[in-house]
Amino acid sequence: MAPRANWKGFLRLSLVTCPVALYPATSESEKISFNQLNRATGHRIKYVKVDADTGDEVASEDIVKGYELDKGQYIEVTKEELDELALESTRTIEIDEFVDKADIDPRFLIRPYYLTPDGKIGHDAYAVIRDTIRDMDKVAIGRVVLTNREHIIALEPKEKGLVGTLLRYPYEVRSAAEYFDEIQDVKLTKDMLDLAKHIVNQKAGTFDPGKFEDHYETALVDLINQKRAGKTIRPRERPKGENVVDLMEALRQSVGREAAPAKATKSAKKPRKASTGQKEMLMPIQGKKPAKEAATKKSTPGQRRKSA
């Protein structure tokens, strides 16, 4: 079942308009999450909103937003006053300009969304805007209001649809000079750079997200299963970082190190790709059963379940 749209409105390019819906393109729901518990009782911790001075609990309908002018002095702003700001981007993504993708600094990227036609009408207008962006090899820049804030949004075609990526404003991006100014200027020899480039060529590949595994998530699953099975938890040995004393020797050793696994993998089995979504647990936790396992159980009811 598709998630609920975060936003519904219109996409407009000059006089061409179509109804659209904006959906989150990413999800964190597959990751393991923890509740906070009272160590003494094992009960869950409940958070309540209280008056900072009296300590009394405050009902949601009695809570208003406030901007702090001075210490302890606030200007109250109501929901109705915020709604009355009524920016056009609250209901319409107006395409303001088209830019080259290379012009967008990665530091400005926030998160991606899928932008789709909303309903049965407007597919023609949607297709015109999508295909024009694709044919011109550009990124469309507009604005949209999400969570009571106006965001810049960059639209680009993907398959039959459009992906919209929220962008930060300049005041939200810190200057690199604050961090990079004290980095020393170092003169490297040609031999060092040649060895480093050789290592890069040995490790060159095509980016495929599917071959990367979330090792921390896998370790969490293992930890939870061990605790449920009553096993003793033994701390793992942490990798030790070491300072490079002889950079040239380290580069030479790295070249040899990267070449050895390349030969070994020719005869070895092809590594298993990391699965999409959460790893299957040895002892499934209620509410965390992988969809793949559930589907297998339905289709093959008589099959024995694999033991871990």
Side-chain angles (χ1 to χ4, degrees):
M1 185 176 177
R4 285 176 52 191
N6 280 31
W7 179 93
K8 288 189 175 186
F10 297 90
L11 175 63
R12 184 162 66 207
L13 172 60
S14 189
L15 298 179
V16 179
T17 305
C18 61
V20 291
L22 203 63
Y23 297 90
T26 58
S27 170
E28 297 288 322
S29 63
E30 290 293 325
K31 291 190 173 183
I32 290 177
S33 58
F34 293 101
N35 294 307
Q36 292 188 321
L37 307 176
N38 181 338
R39 188 195 297 273
T41 65
H43 300 156
R44 281 187 62 176
I45 299 297
K46 179 183 177 183
Y47 288 92
V48 294
K49 296 178 180 179
V50 299
D51 187 300
D53 290 336
T54 66
D56 297 331
E57 186 174 348
V58 183
S60 296
E61 60 268 21
D62 294 327
I63 298 175
V64 296
K65 293 181 184 291
Y67 177 79
E68 189 172 28
L69 286 177
D70 294 307
K71 189 69 174 176
Q73 292 187 339
Y74 301 91
I75 291 180
E76 291 184 7
V77 181
T78 66
K79 182 181 182 299
E80 292 72 26
E81 288 170 335
L82 290 173
D83 290 341
E84 284 173 8
L85 293 177
L87 295 172
E88 187 178 4
S89 50
T90 302
R91 290 287 297 153
T92 302
I93 298 176
E94 175 82 40
I95 296 177
D96 296 324
E97 61 178 353
F98 294 87
V99 303
D100 292 331
K101 188 172 183 178
D103 292 342
I104 302 176
D105 189 320
R107 293 176 299 168
F108 286 81
L109 305 178
I110 302 179
R111 72 183 68 89
Y113 289 84
Y114 294 133
L115 190 71
T116 68
D118 185 27
K120 295 181 179 180
I121 62 171
H123 283 248
D124 290 348
Y126 179 91
V128 166
I129 295 172
R130 177 200 62 207
D131 290 355
T132 301
I133 299 171
R134 178 180 284 124
D135 292 346
M136 299 294 290
D137 195 22
K138 295 286 186 179
V139 175
I141 304 294
R143 283 163 291 170
V144 63
V145 171
L146 283 173
T147 60
N148 296 323
R149 290 280 184 174
E150 185 178 60
H151 298 271
I152 310 167
I153 187 167
L155 302 173
E156 54 186 315
K158 183 170 181 60
E159 300 170 5
K160 295 197 298 181
L162 287 167
V163 172
T165 304
L166 298 189
L167 304 179
R168 295 181 174 89
Y169 288 98
Y171 70 84
E172 297 178 279
V173 178
R174 291 174 175 171
S175 169
E178 298 177 39
Y179 306 91
F180 297 162
D181 275 357
E182 294 184 11
I183 296 177
Q184 298 176 11
D185 293 326
V186 179
K187 191 170 183 179
L188 300 173
T189 67
K190 182 179 181 299
D191 288 343
M192 285 183 177
L193 291 174
D194 286 344
L195 283 170
K197 289 174 183 177
H198 189 67
I199 296 169
V200 171
N201 288 330
Q202 287 177 315
K203 297 174 80 70
T206 302
F207 179 66
D208 175 12
K211 67 185 178 185
F212 291 95
E213 179 182 343
D214 187 340
H215 293 109
Y216 184 74
E217 187 77 4
T218 303
L220 279 179
V221 171
D222 186 49
L223 172 65
I224 292 169
N225 285 327
Q226 286 189 58
K227 291 183 76 71
R228 290 194 68 175
K231 295 180 180 178
T232 302
I233 306 301
R234 292 182 173 83
R236 300 184 182 187
E237 186 177 347
R238 292 180 177 271
K240 296 177 181 179
E242 297 177 359
N243 291 328
V244 176
V245 178
D246 187 335
L247 180 56
M248 195 67 181
E249 183 58 28
L251 286 167
R252 289 196 187 98
Q253 289 183 16
S254 296
V255 169
R257 180 182 175 184
E258 295 303 329
K263 293 177 182 176
T265 50
K266 287 182 181 179
S267 57
K269 275 188 176 181
K270 190 176 180 181
R272 179 174 58 87
K273 271 194 173 186
S275 63
T276 55
Q278 186 180 319
K279 290 287 184 186
E280 182 176 355
M281 292 189 168
L282 301 178
M283 301 169 63
I285 293 175
Q286 190 67 28
K288 291 284 184 182
K289 186 178 289 183
K292 186 185 287 186
E293 182 188 326
T296 306
K297 284 184 109 178
K298 285 183 181 178
S299 59
T300 56
Q303 186 177 354
R304 277 185 63 191
R305 190 178 170 191
K306 288 183 180 179
S307 59

